[in-house]
Amino acid sequence: MEFKLVYSDVYLKHEPWFHHPENPLRLKILFKGLEKYGLTDYIEVLEPEPADWSSIYKVHVEGYVNYVRRLGEHAPTEIDPDTYVSKGTIESILYSIGGLLKAYREYKNGRGRRFFVLTRPPGHHAGRAGKAMGAPTQGFCIFNNIAILAAHLLDEGYEKIAIIDFDVHHGNGTQEIFYNEPRVLHIDFHQDPRTLYPGTGYPEDLGSGKAIGTKVNLIFPRHGGDDLYEDFLEIALTILKQFKPQVILYSAGFDAYFMDGLADMKAGSKTFHLMASKIIEELKPELIIASLEGGYSVGLEKGAPAFIAGLLGIEDPVGESYKSSIRVRDYFEKKIYYPTRRILNEYWDIYKL
Ligand SMILES: [Zn+2]
């Protein structure tokens, strides 16, 4: 099969001992959604193997990795009030990163071209040394799963890697890690950082040195719906077509789904389906590997199946779409959409859109 879901019960071992939204139940909700929307029969599950620590040291500084390893020995404990380390956390981390690396090996052996790894804990807020870009906490993330995969692909000789992050929060760790790296195009869709953790990721943040223009922050006002996502997806596609990535990686978070719980966006299943289907239709990528980030309730139940259906090349089985109010749409166009286009047009040919 072209598509494989990478999962192991080890991913349930990262488990809080107090009430916390990032808990093993999340993956059960996701599987319930796959069943509810009739996708189970289409899906082959691939068992991951653990990564070794060397892949992590490639991205994160030695002192921080050693610190986390020591915390693992003293679990249960926490890195900060948002980010816990349970007895099974380290094992879950190694199998999550191992799952991403295995997806790539599987592709190289001709056994699939589209993969979604149900990584836990999530990773996109983790910078080189933990907290990224002055964030107050690590936001449930310990090591940056998708960045570790991207670093591995750079070592394998890839020169054009695109990371599409549609989690509702800014992927500040990923942005920090690759800020000076022109071979990584990072397009991040997120709620306006003035209204949501971690408070970073503005359209003016474009990368530095030779990498300038390769960091793209597309932000949404609160209560924005699928129509706003469609507008920015067009811009993302315009940039992607010019960058010509050899591989598409996703930081796949589903917390922008209407009423998912931790944010204020109104995305429906349509957005998550388009994030896969439009990219496949218009770019025809050779390889796609997605890593799970956020999503805490309905986003996992409905958004994740819609995204997976997109990866499978079938229609959105959920069929939910939400339109922004006229007031929100008006604000978006005047204050965000057109100014962002102007900024990006300095580096990409946007106006031909
Ligand atoms: Zn998130």
Side-chain angles (χ1 to χ4, degrees):
M1 266 198 239
E2 285 261 288
F3 173 73
K4 288 180 188 177
L5 192 66
V6 184
Y7 169 80
S8 156
D9 287 341
V10 173
Y11 293 172
L12 307 175
K13 288 191 165 185
H14 175 58
E15 187 172 20
W17 55 97
F18 54 97
H19 178 76
H20 195 291
E22 207 293 276
N23 62 63
L25 197 59
R26 295 178 57 228
L27 299 188
K28 300 199 168 159
I29 297 171
L30 187 152
F31 279 111
K32 198 178 84 185
L34 293 180
E35 195 145 315
K36 182 171 167 188
Y37 294 106
L39 294 177
T40 321
D41 290 347
Y42 294 90
I43 292 170
E44 183 180 333
V45 176
L46 181 67
E47 277 276 337
E49 287 144 29
D52 61 61
W53 287 95
S54 60
S55 61
I56 300 174
Y57 285 105
K58 246 185 238 177
V59 162
H60 295 281
V61 300
E62 193 181 343
Y64 174 66
V65 183
N66 293 341
Y67 164 69
V68 171
R69 292 178 81 160
R70 275 198 305 279
L71 287 181
E73 286 159 21
H74 296 103
T77 182
E78 51 189 41
I79 293 180
D80 60 46
D82 276 353
T83 315
Y84 64 89
V85 179
S86 72
K87 281 197 185 307
T89 295
I90 298 293
E91 201 185 351
S92 189
I93 285 173
L94 294 175
Y95 275 82
S96 290
I97 296 163
L100 291 163
L101 300 177
K102 180 152 183 184
Y104 176 61
R105 281 201 303 279
E106 196 80 351
Y107 158 72
K108 278 219 304 195
N109 291 326
R111 293 195 292 257
R113 290 171 55 208
R114 298 169 192 169
F115 301 88
F116 184 13
V117 188
L118 300 183
T119 43
R120 283 190 66 244
H124 72 152
H125 297 308
R128 288 199 184 277
K131 282 193 287 190
M133 299 178 73
T137 70
Q138 291 181 208
F140 319 162
C141 300
I142 299 178
F143 296 126
N144 197 314
N145 307 312
I146 206 71
I148 291 167
L149 174 63
H152 179 76
L153 295 177
L154 290 173
D155 282 355
E156 289 276 305
Y158 278 74
E159 295 196 325
K160 300 257 178 188
I161 296 171
I163 300 177
I164 300 171
D165 184 330
F166 56 79
D167 186 280
V168 77
H169 303 93
H170 179 226
N172 54 332
T174 312
Q175 183 161 310
E176 181 208 89
I177 290 165
F178 295 120
Y179 210 64
N180 306 313
E181 177 50 79
R183 294 173 294 175
V184 177
L185 170 65
H186 171 208
I187 300 180
D188 203 301
F189 298 83
H190 51 274
Q191 184 175 317
D192 190 328
R194 285 166 292 200
T195 63
L196 192 67
Y197 172 92
T200 52
Y202 289 93
E204 293 82 0
D205 304 328
L206 292 152
S208 69
K210 286 203 172 96
I212 194 157
T214 59
K215 310 301 163 252
V216 178
N217 289 294
L218 303 172
I219 71 176
F220 300 105
R222 297 166 68 220
H223 314 301
D226 295 295
D227 50 319
L228 307 194
Y229 275 89
E230 278 182 81
D231 287 348
F232 266 160
L233 187 54
E234 284 303 324
I235 289 193
L237 279 162
T238 304
I239 293 171
L240 283 159
K241 282 178 192 163
Q242 290 166 59
F243 182 75
K244 300 188 175 68
Q246 298 158 291
V247 54
I248 301 273
L249 309 182
Y250 287 98
S251 264
F254 301 93
D255 39 7
Y257 211 101
F258 184 39
M259 303 288 278
D260 186 66
L262 294 193
D264 314 288
M265 298 305 298
K266 265 175 72 179
S269 64
K270 185 178 187 185
T271 285
F272 299 98
H273 187 260
L274 288 176
M275 283 289 171
S277 62
K278 269 270 198 185
I279 296 284
I280 290 172
E281 186 187 308
E282 299 211 15
L283 294 173
K284 304 190 171 47
E286 167 68 15
L287 171 63
I288 292 177
I289 303 178
S291 177
L292 179 64
E293 300 286 356
Y296 300 93
S297 61
V298 67
L300 294 166
E301 190 191 330
K302 297 180 175 178
F307 176 62
I308 289 171
L311 292 176
L312 284 163
I314 60 179
E315 281 190 13
D316 173 13
V318 183
E320 277 184 6
S321 161
Y322 301 101
K323 225 172 136 83
S324 314
S325 70
I326 291 168
R327 191 184 56 79
V328 168
R329 167 127 216 124
D330 203 46
Y331 174 87
F332 171 72
E333 283 180 10
K334 286 203 186 87
K335 301 284 188 189
I336 300 174
Y337 180 74
Y338 287 108
T340 301
R341 275 175 57 133
R342 260 198 305 282
I343 291 166
L344 293 172
N345 198 56
E346 298 280 316
Y347 307 95
W348 306 97
D349 200 356
I350 301 291
Y351 285 170
K352 70 178 180 192
L353 192 78

